[in-house]
Each structure stands twice: as C-alpha cells, then as structure tokens.
C-alpha cells in the first residue's frame, strides 16, 4: 500500500530571496538535522543570465532504524538523489527527491516548493508532498514503513526550525535584505534548454500539478489557531481530504471544522473519514438539513413544554446546552409531534450547535468546534422507558453519531436516579467508545460546590437550579396536555409510516435488483458511465434540453467476459438509487455547470452532491 503525505502551506514571514539564502546554508551538511550526514553535487546548470540554477545532489543519510534492520540490509547509510530547480525571476524553488538505495524494493518520492505568498509578496510559502511504497524488504515491510514514516515526521517538524535558524543567523550577520533578481540584472529572460536536458537525464517524472485554488489551501498557522494543534500526519490527512472534496464536488468543500471532526471520529483514517463524510453529505442533501434553521418553526408544544435550551458556555468557551431530561414528557411529545417531530427538533438543535461553535471560534480566535451538554436527570423514572420513546431515542443517537461526529465536547450527567442504569444499559451500546469517554457522571450531590460542575462551568454561567448564579431561560417541562396530541388516526398513520423526516425530500428512491429497470420522464444529456465498485457510492449530474422518457439502469460490468450492450449478468448485485430533478429556465443556463442558478444549486454548500443540476443519481 502506498503511503502519502501532503503538507499544509507553511509561511515564512520573510522575502523569498532571504529564505533562499537561508536554504543554501543547509548544504553540504546541516547541523540541525543529525541524520543528514553530507551531500555531493552530481550536476549543476546555470542559465546565461543567472536567473535559473539547477543542481542535482546525492545526499547521504544515517537513518534512525533498528540495528537488526540495518544489519539485514547490509548498509549503514542510505542515499537520496535531490534535484533543485531555482528560478530567481519567477521567485520559485522546486525540489524533487527520490531514494537511490533499495530503489527496487522501496519507492520514496518527495516534492517541495518555495513560492511567494499570493497575498503578501514579502512572505514565502512552503509546501511538500511525499509518497512511500514498500514493495518488498526481506519480510520487514511493516517495520520499514513505520521507520520511514517516523523519520519523515521528525524531519518535517525540523524543516521549519532549520530555515528559521539560518534566517536568524543571516539577520545576526546584518543581512536583512537581498535585492530581487530584476533589480540586480536587467537582462532578457533565456529559455533553459540545457537545464531541461539535465532534468531529462535524471529519469524522474515531472512534478505533479500544483494548480489548486489558493482559497482551498490551508496554512499551518491557521490550522493551529482555528483547528487545534495537529501532528504532521493529521495535517496531511486534512489537506488531502479537503483537496479530494474540492475535486469531487466542484470546489464546494465542507468547513475545515467539519473535515477535522470526521477525521477525528475515524482516528484520522482518511478512507473511512471520506466515505462517512460523503454518506453524510448525501443524507444532508436528501433531507435538506442545510435549510432546517430557516425552514423549521418550533411547534407551540415544544416552545412551551420542551425542557432544553442553550445557556452561555463552559470554562473552555464551548457553547452549553442544558436538557432537563427528567422533566421531559417523552410520551406526550411523541403523541404530539411524533418521532419525526423529535428528529427535526434534534436536527435543529445540532445545526444551532454548529453555528454557535463557529461563531464562538471566530469571536474568541481559538479552535472550538464542539459543545457541552448538561443532562439533568432529576425526575427520571420508569415512564421514560416507554418503548416507543426508547426506540426514538436510539434512532436519534444513531443519526447524531453518524452525521455529527465529534460535536460533543463533554456530556455532564447530574442527579441521576436509580432507574438510570437501566436506561444507560439500553443506550450506551449505540454510543461510540470515543463519545462515551466524554461522559462525566456526578452521583448524588457531587455536582455541587467547587469540586463539582464548577470545575467545568463557571458559577456565573451555571443555572440556579444546579447551584449556580445564572437564571436559565429553559422551560421546566412537565406533562404535555392532551389537547396537543395527534388524533388516534394521525398517530397510527405516523407510527406505521415510520420516520419520514421530511415530507418534501427532493430525492426519490428506488431499489433495483436483477433484470430490473426504472423509467421516468426527465431532462437529461447522457454523460459517460459512472463507475461504482461494490460497497461504494457515486454521484452524477446530467443536463439536457429535450423532454422525453429515459431509463435509469444499474449495470454490473463483468470484466472477465464480453457482453453486448444490454446482455449482461446481474447475479445477486443490487443497487439503491436516489435521484431528483429540476426544471430550469433557459435564461438561467449559460453553458456551464457552475452557471446554473436554481433554487437547489444556489443553496449553501453543505450537501453531498450540490452540483447545479437537473438530475442527480446515486447508485449504491
């Protein structure tokens, strides 16, 4: 398996020329990097006007590997070939490196670039990417992979320190400014034909394209300030996930906080985080969750009897949500607004939480992307274990865990009665280990005093009914009057239909089995096939100007046998297809997908397949 690394943008608040002078001091050896034993120049090219310099070096490294591994490999040092291409006119340095030692067994490729900051020409940006492919190494492939990644992470941490060390050295010597190349030499630019030959002689592939929207790039200082201190590997996962989402969804990317939350939930397993995020975005699009804060009005029974609400913040600055669950008439709410109504209410609270954390992070200038939930269980009894209520609770927990991972910073449980262990046994298995670790339980009166809740919530922010100095504008709950109840017919209909969530869901859903097709009338221009492997999902958008009947077909491609266009075996392969379509006015379509201005395409970004579209099919 190929391991990949992609750094965020690291910014040096010094001009490019000064950074280059500091970089040159790293050779032939660098005392700041002990593993870098030395280097020799294999080839060097300078353009006639001095604007371009290309240097190829052979670098000698003393890798910090176990003695046994070095003994088996029969080497003490490993060698890398490094090629530096410096263009002083364009103010850019490109670095390519690959391993010479064990090249047939291990493939290590690194690419770096120093460029001028796009918004401040007196600053310099640095980016790097790398890939590691351990093909075979005497049966020690896993060990070699771990050693290589550990060594690389250590070098990444040292990289910025090294440049800053030599910059400070230059400053101490009185070198504070180096003129731009144009200021030093007023000669016409010359094409580097000989340099190109040198590049070809190395046998290395051209560097990967780095044409990425600067608005989608992340700076390391921004990550630490707004998202928290991440390891180099975690930063790499974040950068790669953001780039992938931008490519897959036409530049429309979830917030950086959202990306981090999904990565944290999967312990920075990039593939799992990406899969879960895509599924969640499809879910958000399907049920139009992005619109819930504006489209959903709290029913009167909720405003008058629901014992929960937002109230100030904890000591860490996280928004605080208080729910007096013991005072909640679960049966009354389900009889009044149904399970679907409770789900909508929960989504409304979760979306409010996302907005509050974002606003708080902006206001305080520090990473905050979760909130604290305070559950007051006084009054909890057996009536809360009513089976439909527990069923609705489990469904809500599953939905929140899947689509709002890592939004819960802490869950504080106070005044739990004897019946609570029964409820906890029922629900705890549906809560992830990571979320369960955030639960703090206060038995009896332990929540009181400076050693209780006040360790987490300042007394002036703690509600008065829990011994604090603040009056919380939270309903006391109580029994819901039966005048709010649905009729028996309405309740039975809601119960049988299950949780529809939203009546106006834009998606239609159909399951296709062997030999089945589904027809409907829509507008479509057929595009190339969307390839989807087992267990995966894909989204596609199709546009056309002619009305007609079209066939949506899920086809399993057998790569081992040739079949005619509509002669293929389906075996037991199944697919669930969700689709929607829009009718757009011709004046709103200006020839490109990004120019469609429809009610859906103009919506806020947070959707799985938000691609200005007239139809969207998602085979799964």
């Amino acid at each position: 398996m190929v391991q990949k690394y992609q750094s965020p943008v690291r910014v040096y608040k010094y001009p490019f020329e000064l950074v280059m002078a500091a970089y040159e001091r790293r050779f032939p050896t660098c005392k700041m990097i002990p593993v870098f034993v030395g280097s020799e120049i294999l080839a060097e090219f300078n353009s006639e006007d001095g604007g371009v310099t290309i240097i190829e070096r052979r670098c000698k490294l003393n890798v910090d590997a176990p003695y046994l591994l070095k003994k088996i490999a029969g080497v003490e040092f490993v060698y890398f070939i490094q090629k530096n291409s410096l263009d002083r006119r364009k103010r850019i340095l490109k670095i390519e490196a690959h391993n010479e030692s064990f090249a047939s067994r291990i493939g290590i490729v690194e690419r770096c670039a120093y460029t001028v900051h796009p918004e401040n020409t007196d600053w310099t940006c640095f980016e790097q990417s790398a890939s590691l492919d351990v093909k075979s190494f005497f049966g020690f492939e896993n060990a070699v992979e771990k050693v290589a990644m550990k060594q690389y992470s250590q070098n990444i941490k040292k990289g910025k320190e090294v440049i800053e060390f030599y910059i400070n050295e230059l400053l101490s010597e009185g070198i504070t400014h180096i003129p731009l190349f144009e200021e030093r030499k007023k000669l016409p630019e010359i094409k580097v034909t000989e340099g190109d030959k040198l590049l070809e002689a190395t046998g290395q592939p051209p560097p990967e394209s780095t044409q990425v929207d600067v608005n989608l790039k992340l700076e390391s200082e921004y990550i630490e300030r707004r998202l928290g201190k991440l390891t180099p590997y975690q930063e790499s996962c974040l950068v790669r996930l953001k780039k992938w989402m931008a490519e897959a969804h036409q530049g429309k990317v979830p917030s950086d906080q959202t990306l981090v939350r999904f990565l944290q939930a999967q312990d920075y397993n990039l593939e799992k985080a990406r899969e879960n995020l895509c599924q969640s975005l499809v879910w958000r699009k399907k049920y139009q969750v992005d619109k819930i804060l504006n489209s959903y009005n709290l029913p009167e029974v909720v405003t008058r009897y629901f014992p929960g609400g937002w109230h100030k913040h904890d000591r860490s600055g996280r928004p605080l949500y208080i729910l007096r669950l013991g005072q909640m008439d679960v049966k009354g709410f389900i009889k009044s607004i149904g399970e679907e109504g409770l789900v909508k209410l929960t989504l409304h609270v979760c979306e409010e939480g996302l907005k509050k954390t974002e606003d708080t992070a902006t206001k305080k200038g520090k990473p905050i992307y979760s909130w604290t939930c305070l559950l007051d269980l006084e009054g909890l009894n057996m009536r809360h274990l009513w089976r439909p209520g527990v069923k609705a609770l489990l469904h809500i927990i599953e939905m929140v865990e899947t689509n709002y991972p890592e939004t819960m910073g802490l869950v504080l449980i106070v005044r739990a009665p004897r019946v609570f262990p029964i409820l906890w046994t029922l629900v705890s298995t549906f809560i992830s280990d990571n979320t369960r670790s955030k639960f703090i339980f206060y038995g009896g009166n332990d929540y009181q005093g400076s050693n209780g809740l006040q360790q987490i919530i300042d007394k002036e922010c703690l509600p008065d009914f829990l011994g604090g100095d603040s009056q919380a504008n939270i309903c006391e709950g109580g029994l819901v009057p039966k005048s709010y109840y649905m009729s028996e017919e309405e309740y039975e209909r809601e119960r049988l239909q299950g949780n529809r969530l939203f009546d106006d869901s834009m998606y239609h859903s159909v399951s296709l089995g062997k030999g089945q097709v589904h027809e409907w009338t829509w507008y479509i221009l057929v595009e190339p096939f969307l390839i989807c492997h087992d267990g995966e999902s894909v989204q596609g958008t199709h546009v056309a100007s002619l009305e007609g009947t079209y066939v949506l077909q899920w086809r399993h491609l057998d790569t081992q046998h040739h079949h005619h266009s509509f002669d293929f075996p389906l075996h037991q392969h199944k697919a669930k297809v969700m689709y929607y379509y829009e009718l757009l006015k011709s004046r709103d379509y200006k020839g490109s997908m990004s120019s469609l201005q429809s009610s859906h395409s103009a919506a806020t970004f947070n959707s799985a397949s938000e691609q200005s579209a007239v139809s969207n099919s998602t085979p799964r």
Side-chain angles (χ1 to χ4, degrees):
M1 180 178 178
V2 179
Q3 294 280 352
K4 292 186 177 181
Y5 171 82
Q6 175 67 55
S7 77
V9 178
R10 305 188 187 279
V11 178
Y12 300 99
K13 297 182 179 180
Y14 299 97
F16 177 81
E17 289 69 27
L18 192 65
V19 173
M20 289 299 97
Y23 177 79
E24 289 172 3
R25 295 198 173 197
R26 294 180 54 172
F27 303 99
T29 60
C30 179
K31 57 187 177 183
M32 296 284 291
I33 307 179
V35 298
F36 185 39
V37 180
S39 62
E40 60 175 318
I41 296 178
L42 301 179
E44 183 173 359
F45 167 80
N46 287 284
S47 64
E48 185 176 337
D49 66 345
V52 175
T53 298
I54 302 174
I55 299 177
E56 186 176 12
R57 292 185 178 92
R58 188 168 186 255
C59 301
K60 183 179 180 181
L61 303 179
N62 182 14
V63 178
D64 183 18
Y67 172 78
L68 178 60
L69 200 58
K70 287 186 175 182
K71 196 72 175 177
I72 293 173
V75 298
E76 188 67 25
F77 304 102
V78 295
Y79 294 90
F80 277 76
I81 303 299
Q82 184 192 71
K83 179 179 57 188
N84 292 357
S85 304
L86 172 61
D87 190 326
R88 296 180 180 85
R89 287 187 179 278
K90 296 180 179 179
R91 304 179 78 193
I92 181 171
L93 170 64
K94 291 185 178 181
I95 306 168
E96 298 175 57
H98 67 278
N99 61 304
E100 183 183 59
S101 302
F102 309 110
S104 62
R105 297 181 178 274
I106 305 173
I108 302 176
V109 178
E110 181 185 48
R111 293 185 176 92
C112 309
Y114 287 89
T115 57
V116 177
H117 194 286
E119 297 176 359
N120 189 330
T121 56
D122 289 331
W123 291 357
T124 304
C125 295
F126 172 73
E127 291 181 82
Q128 65 187 136
S129 62
S131 64
L132 168 67
D133 183 10
V134 182
K135 303 166 187 175
S136 65
F137 202 87
F138 312 108
F140 288 86
E141 289 78 14
N142 290 336
V144 170
E145 188 174 286
K146 290 179 180 179
V147 168
M149 293 306 295
K150 177 183 177 182
Q151 190 80 65
Y152 194 71
S153 296
Q154 292 174 346
N155 292 343
I156 290 169
K157 291 181 180 179
K158 275 285 184 184
K160 188 172 183 180
E161 298 175 11
V162 171
I163 294 296
E164 290 177 342
F165 172 82
Y166 287 119
I167 287 176
N168 290 329
E169 192 174 77
L170 289 167
L171 297 177
S172 67
E173 296 172 4
I175 304 174
T176 59
H177 174 72
I178 298 177
L180 297 175
F181 178 77
E182 286 80 359
E183 296 174 0
R184 289 177 283 157
K185 295 207 174 188
K186 302 292 184 179
L187 296 175
E189 185 174 358
I190 299 176
K191 294 184 178 180
V192 191
T193 55
E194 296 181 26
D196 292 338
K197 293 180 180 179
L198 175 62
L199 297 181
E200 293 174 4
T202 62
Q204 288 301 297
E208 295 176 353
S209 174
T210 56
Q211 298 300 317
V212 181
D213 187 346
V214 293
N215 295 319
L216 296 175
K217 292 187 176 184
L218 294 171
E219 292 188 2
S220 56
E221 290 184 8
Y222 161 81
I223 292 176
E224 186 170 349
R225 185 178 70 253
R226 294 298 302 272
L227 306 177
K229 195 169 183 62
L230 305 180
T231 68
Y233 176 75
Q234 291 170 346
E235 288 179 336
S236 172
C237 290
L238 173 60
V239 173
R240 292 172 62 196
L241 181 59
K242 184 164 187 172
K243 181 181 178 183
W244 186 90
M245 294 301 297
E247 293 171 348
H249 299 283
Q250 297 185 347
K252 299 171 183 177
V253 185
S255 69
D256 299 327
Q257 289 84 357
T258 298
L259 298 178
V260 170
R261 288 193 294 103
F262 275 84
L263 284 167
Q264 286 182 340
Q266 296 300 326
D267 195 24
Y268 285 88
N269 183 313
L270 185 59
E271 292 302 320
K272 288 184 178 180
R274 184 173 70 179
E275 179 182 354
N276 290 356
L277 178 57
C278 288
Q279 291 175 353
S280 179
L281 293 179
V282 171
W283 172 83
R284 293 181 69 86
K285 181 69 174 183
K286 177 179 179 181
Y287 297 117
Q288 304 183 66
V289 178
D290 297 331
K291 301 178 181 180
I292 194 168
L293 288 180
N294 297 324
S295 63
Y296 175 63
N297 296 318
L298 296 176
E300 181 181 336
V301 65
V302 172
T303 58
R304 298 190 62 179
Y305 292 96
F306 184 72
W310 295 98
H311 178 71
K312 299 195 174 183
H313 52 80
D314 66 10
R315 287 180 180 268
S316 298
R318 289 180 293 233
L320 177 64
Y321 189 83
I322 300 175
L323 177 60
R324 306 183 71 174
L325 186 60
Q327 306 300 319
M328 179 178 172
D329 181 6
V330 178
K331 183 175 182 178
F333 276 104
I334 291 182
K335 288 281 189 177
S336 301
I337 61 177
E339 181 181 345
E340 182 179 348
L342 281 179
V343 170
K344 286 184 178 181
L345 175 59
T346 303
L347 291 178
H348 191 271
V349 171
C350 290
E351 291 298 305
E352 279 185 324
L354 292 178
K355 188 175 187 304
K356 285 181 177 291
T357 54
E358 183 178 344
D359 293 343
T360 303
T362 301
K363 181 179 179 181
K364 294 185 176 293
K366 66 177 185 179
I368 296 175
Y369 41 85
S370 62
W371 60 83
T372 293
C373 182
L374 175 57
L375 285 178
D376 180 12
L377 300 185
E378 184 183 45
L380 191 76
N381 55 46
M382 292 301 294
R383 66 184 173 87
H384 289 90
L385 301 182
W386 182 52
R387 184 174 179 179
V390 173
K391 175 176 172 288
L393 177 61
L394 296 180
H395 174 76
I396 288 172
I397 289 174
E398 181 182 17
M399 178 189 67
V400 173
E401 282 278 284
T402 302
N403 298 287
Y404 297 92
E406 298 299 314
T407 53
M408 200 66 69
L410 286 175
V411 181
L412 310 175
I413 308 291
V414 300
R415 303 201 285 194
R418 292 183 177 180
V419 72
F420 174 69
I422 301 176
L423 180 62
W424 179 247
T425 301
L426 291 174
V427 304
S428 61
T429 55
F430 291 84
I431 303 174
S432 68
D433 293 340
N434 194 30
T435 303
R436 282 205 300 269
S437 67
K438 300 173 183 178
F439 278 68
I440 299 178
F441 300 89
Y442 294 91
N445 295 322
D446 291 347
Y447 69 91
Q448 299 178 350
S450 58
N451 294 326
L453 287 175
Q454 291 181 38
Q455 289 185 323
I456 300 173
I457 306 171
D458 287 327
K459 191 175 182 180
E460 54 266 28
C461 293
L462 198 62
D464 51 5
F465 60 83
L466 290 176
D469 297 335
S470 177
Q471 289 188 347
N473 186 25
I474 296 175
C475 176
E476 294 185 359
L479 293 176
V480 174
K482 292 187 177 180
S483 59
Y484 287 104
Y485 282 18
M486 293 181 285
S487 66
E488 289 297 328
E489 293 78 10
E490 290 175 323
Y491 175 73
E492 187 65 18
R493 188 184 311 116
E494 201 274 346
R495 187 186 67 82
L496 291 175
Q497 289 181 346
N499 177 40
R500 297 159 296 163
L501 194 62
F502 295 101
D503 290 328
D504 56 349
S505 171
M506 67 170 61
Y507 276 98
H508 306 279
S509 180
V510 60
S511 295
L512 300 179
K514 181 177 180 180
Q516 294 180 321
V517 296
H518 181 66
E519 295 185 8
W520 70 95
T521 301
W522 65 345
Y523 293 82
I524 180 171
L525 174 63
V526 179
E527 293 184 348
F529 261 117
L530 298 173
I531 304 300
C532 180
H533 302 287
D534 287 346
E536 297 181 347
S537 65
V538 295
Q539 297 91 44
T541 301
H542 309 277
V543 182
S545 58
L546 298 177
E547 183 177 3
T549 300
Y550 298 87
V551 177
L552 175 64
Q553 185 174 42
W554 173 251
R555 183 168 74 173
H556 170 63
L557 296 176
D558 189 338
T559 58
Q560 296 181 349
H561 302 89
H562 175 73
H563 300 281
H564 295 293
S565 178
F566 283 89
D567 178 21
F568 50 84
L570 280 174
H571 303 297
Q572 297 182 359
H573 294 273
K574 296 180 179 179
K576 183 175 182 180
V577 180
M578 295 183 297
Y579 65 92
Y580 81 95
Y581 59 90
E582 302 177 60
L583 300 181
L584 305 178
K585 295 179 181 180
S586 58
R587 67 172 180 268
D588 294 328
Y589 181 67
K590 302 178 179 64
S592 66
M593 294 301 295
S594 60
S595 67
L596 289 175
Q597 301 296 324
S598 68
S599 59
H600 294 301
S601 61
T604 54
F605 135 79
N606 283 323
S607 85
S609 44
E610 183 90 32
Q611 307 177 27
S612 310
V614 287
S615 70
N616 189 333
S617 60
T618 306
R620 299 206 271 186

